[in-house]
Amino acid sequence: MILSPFILNKQFFNINLTYSFSIIFVGFIIALITYNFSHNLVKGAKYFNPPKCDNCKNSIFLLGFLPLTSYLFTYGRCKNCNQKFDTNIIIFEISIPLFFLFSYYYFDITEAFFYSVLFIFLIILFYTDFIKFELHMPTIAIIAILGVIFNFINESNLTEVFQTVILGFFVGFSVIYFINNIYFFIRKRNGFGEGDKWFLGSIGIWLGYFDVLLVFIYSCWLATIFGLFLYSRKKLVSKIPFGCFISITAIITII
C-alpha cells in the first residue's frame, strides 16, 4: 500500500538516522554512476567509462568529481587544466539520494525499490533529452520491462495486470502517435520526437491508462510554460525536449 507523503503517520516520526545516512550514501554513489552513464551517452562514449575531464581527457579523482566535495579539493575544477566541471551533476547528486530516502519512508520495500530504479532511468532520459534532444531507446525498453515485472509482483489479479500493462501502453503510445499524425497532416512536419510515444507508452505500463493521460496533459502544460518562458527571454527554439516533462510529471504522479 502506498503511503501518501502528505499524511502524517507514525512512519514519518520513526526516522532511523543510520538507515537514512546509509540510503543517502548509496544514493550519492548511484548518482555518480548514473551521471557518468548519462554523460557518456550524450558524448557518444562507452557507457561506463571512468570519469574524465571533457577538456584534457585526464581521469578525475572520485571526490574531486562530486561538486559537493570537489570544492574541498579542487574548487570544482580539473586539477590538470583548470576546466570547470559540468554542474548538471548536482541535479543527480541531490535528486537521487532524496528520492531514495523518500521512497524508503513512504512506500513498502518492494515499491521503494522499483520506484527508485524507475527514477534512475527517468533522470537518465531527462538528461539526454535536455542536453541532446534524444531519448535512449534501450533505456525506454528497460523501463517498459521493469513496469511489467512490477505489475506482476504488485498485483495478484492477472486480469488487472494485463489491463494495466496493455491498456496503459496502448493509451500512452496512441495519444502521441495520433496527435503527431494529425499535426504532420496539417503542418507537414512532426510535432513530437520519435521516442516520445514509446516513452509515454512505457510510463503507461507503470501507471495505467488513466494516469498516463494525466502525465501527458501535465507534460503539455509544463512544456507550454517552458516555451513561454523561453519566448519571454527572446530565446526562440524550434523544438522543446518533451521527454523531460514526461519524466517530471511521471515522478509527480507516482508521488
Side-chain angles (χ1 to χ4, degrees):
M1 180 180 68
I2 298 177
L3 299 174
S4 170
F6 305 105
I7 300 177
L8 293 178
N9 52 58
K10 64 180 181 180
Q11 191 170 1
F12 177 81
F13 297 101
N14 294 332
I15 295 178
N16 187 306
L17 291 179
T18 302
Y19 286 152
S20 297
F21 282 120
S22 299
I23 292 169
I24 291 173
F25 176 76
V26 171
F28 274 125
I29 300 301
I30 293 179
L32 174 60
I33 296 171
T34 304
Y35 170 79
N36 189 43
F37 176 87
S38 305
H39 189 66
N40 289 333
L41 205 58
V42 168
K43 296 295 181 181
K46 292 181 179 179
Y47 293 158
F48 296 105
N49 272 348
K52 292 182 179 180
C53 173
D54 289 334
N55 185 47
C56 67
K57 308 304 180 184
N58 282 306
S59 297
I60 301 171
F61 178 55
L62 178 62
L63 293 179
F65 185 62
L66 297 171
L68 296 180
T69 57
S70 66
Y71 287 94
L72 299 175
F73 298 93
T74 61
Y75 300 100
R77 296 179 180 273
C78 175
K79 65 179 180 179
N80 297 298
C81 67
N82 206 38
Q83 174 76 19
K84 190 175 181 180
F85 295 142
D86 181 12
T87 55
N88 286 322
I89 191 177
I90 296 176
I91 298 173
F92 292 77
E93 282 192 321
I94 294 176
S95 64
I96 290 179
L98 287 182
F99 189 85
F100 281 13
L101 192 63
F102 167 85
S103 298
Y104 175 79
Y105 281 107
Y106 290 109
F107 300 122
D108 65 40
I109 191 65
T110 301
E111 290 173 329
F113 173 77
F114 275 94
Y115 285 143
S116 295
V117 174
L118 173 62
F119 185 86
I120 292 171
F121 289 115
L122 289 178
I123 201 171
I124 289 172
L125 293 175
F126 176 94
Y127 182 82
T128 58
D129 200 34
F130 186 78
I131 300 296
K132 204 176 179 181
F133 291 96
E134 286 185 7
L135 291 171
H136 189 231
M137 292 304 295
T139 300
I140 293 175
I142 293 172
I143 289 176
I145 293 169
L146 286 174
V148 173
I149 296 172
F150 174 73
N151 275 283
F152 272 101
I153 292 176
N154 205 43
E155 179 60 62
S156 57
N157 190 324
L158 291 182
T159 302
E160 298 226 354
V161 170
F162 284 111
Q163 183 181 43
T164 300
V165 170
I166 296 174
L167 280 181
F169 176 81
F170 177 77
V171 171
F173 181 91
S174 298
V175 67
I176 290 183
Y177 176 81
F178 287 115
I179 290 175
N180 187 60
N181 281 347
I182 294 171
Y183 184 86
F184 186 84
F185 178 78
I186 297 172
R187 299 292 301 273
K188 305 304 179 186
R189 61 176 180 170
N190 289 318
F192 291 93
E194 180 63 27
D196 290 334
K197 59 180 177 288
W198 295 102
F199 186 18
L200 191 63
S202 70
I203 295 301
I205 293 174
W206 284 82
L207 302 179
Y209 67 92
F210 180 76
D211 282 345
V212 78
L213 282 176
L214 295 180
V215 168
F216 176 72
I217 293 170
Y218 296 153
S219 298
C220 290
W221 288 353
L222 288 179
T224 301
I225 293 171
F226 181 71
L228 291 174
F229 171 76
L230 293 179
Y231 179 79
S232 69
R233 300 290 297 273
K234 302 187 185 303
K235 295 181 179 180
L236 298 178
V237 293
S238 59
K239 55 184 179 179
I240 289 175
F242 191 69
C244 294
F245 305 107
I246 294 177
S247 294
I248 294 171
T249 52
I251 294 167
I252 293 173
T253 304
I254 288 171
I255 295 175

